[in-house]
Amino acid sequence: MADIIVPNSYSQARFISAHFPRFLEKTCVVTNMVDTDKFQPVSTSPNNVPVILTTARLMKQKNILTYLDAISIVKQRGMKCHFDWYGNGNGTPEYVDAIKNKVEELHIEDMITFHEPEKNVQQLYQKADIFCLPSLYEGFPNVICEAMSSGLPIVCSNVCDNPYIVEAEVNGLLFSPENPDDMAGKLIDM
């Protein structure tokens, strides 16, 4: 009975179109917005060791175990960089334990640091060199938009709405989220 259906991502609109084609004409995507006064680049010197930032919860959707495999490959190929992940694992203690175990198993404790969530996230973007989001699926990821608005190049999975935001080889690189070699290669390329 609604006049308009307003999903906040193109992937949700595709889902509606595929499962409820009669609503196609009523569907209008309105994505979330980014405060470009808050999220903007600042002039800083690059870090001596490039910092690759991720801000996301510690959950399976975010594909952290495959990301850790990619970080191990980056390390094996001799790249000097550091990965900072900010987010909480509330509600997923088994997955957080699996992450900790995998970091130890891969001997990449020197490559990645997991931090508690940070409220002043714009400063994290401004201090980083690259933003990476390795998710298996997303809606319209605000964090990619915030990072881009802050001047960061993006390396992210080629899923859902990410290709609407990141144009490969223009403002970032896209990888297959199931392929740690592809993920590592794109991180190294960036």
Side-chain angles (χ1 to χ4, degrees):
M1 294 177 59
D3 294 321
I4 297 177
I5 300 168
V6 184
N8 72 346
S9 74
Y10 295 98
S11 56
Q12 289 174 338
R14 285 192 307 274
F15 177 87
I16 292 168
S17 173
H19 293 87
F20 307 99
R22 68 184 182 277
F23 296 145
L24 181 60
E25 296 298 319
K26 291 184 170 189
T27 303
C28 177
V29 175
V30 177
T31 61
N32 295 330
M33 302 296 163
V34 172
D35 182 347
T36 57
D37 290 328
K38 181 177 180 180
F39 296 100
Q40 56 181 286
V42 294
S43 294
T44 60
S45 299
N47 295 302
N48 291 334
V49 174
V51 173
I52 299 151
L53 174 67
T54 302
T55 56
R57 291 167 291 162
L58 303 177
M59 55 189 298
K60 289 181 182 181
Q61 168 197 349
K62 302 305 179 182
N63 198 25
I64 302 163
L65 299 178
T66 303
Y67 190 52
L68 296 175
D69 286 330
I71 291 170
S72 178
I73 293 166
V74 168
K75 182 176 182 175
Q76 291 168 15
R77 293 189 185 163
M79 292 297 299
K80 302 294 180 204
C81 59
H82 191 79
F83 297 82
D84 279 323
W85 189 295
Y86 287 82
N88 68 44
N90 295 348
T92 57
E94 300 85 13
Y95 192 66
V96 172
D97 288 342
I99 292 166
K100 290 176 185 175
N101 292 337
K102 187 143 194 173
V103 168
E104 291 174 11
E105 172 191 320
L106 296 171
H107 306 290
I108 56 173
E109 298 91 343
D110 59 327
M111 296 286 291
I112 185 162
T113 305
F114 289 94
H115 306 270
E116 291 296 316
E118 174 62 50
K119 290 183 187 221
N120 197 0
V121 72
Q122 68 270 24
Q123 288 184 355
L124 299 177
Y125 295 129
Q126 293 170 342
K127 292 178 182 175
D129 297 294
I130 298 168
F131 186 83
C132 183
L133 188 64
S135 301
L136 294 168
Y137 59 92
E138 286 288 339
F140 193 87
N142 293 349
V143 294
I144 288 178
C145 298
E146 292 168 355
M148 289 177 79
S149 183
S150 299
L152 290 178
I154 308 298
V155 181
C156 66
S157 50
N158 190 8
V159 297
C160 303
D161 282 13
N162 292 358
Y164 284 98
I165 306 165
V166 176
E167 187 176 349
E169 309 293 330
V170 175
N171 58 2
L173 299 173
L174 299 165
F175 55 76
S176 169
E178 296 90 11
N179 186 334
D181 287 310
D182 185 32
M183 193 182 303
K186 295 302 188 318
L187 287 163
I188 291 167
D189 289 347
M190 186 60 74

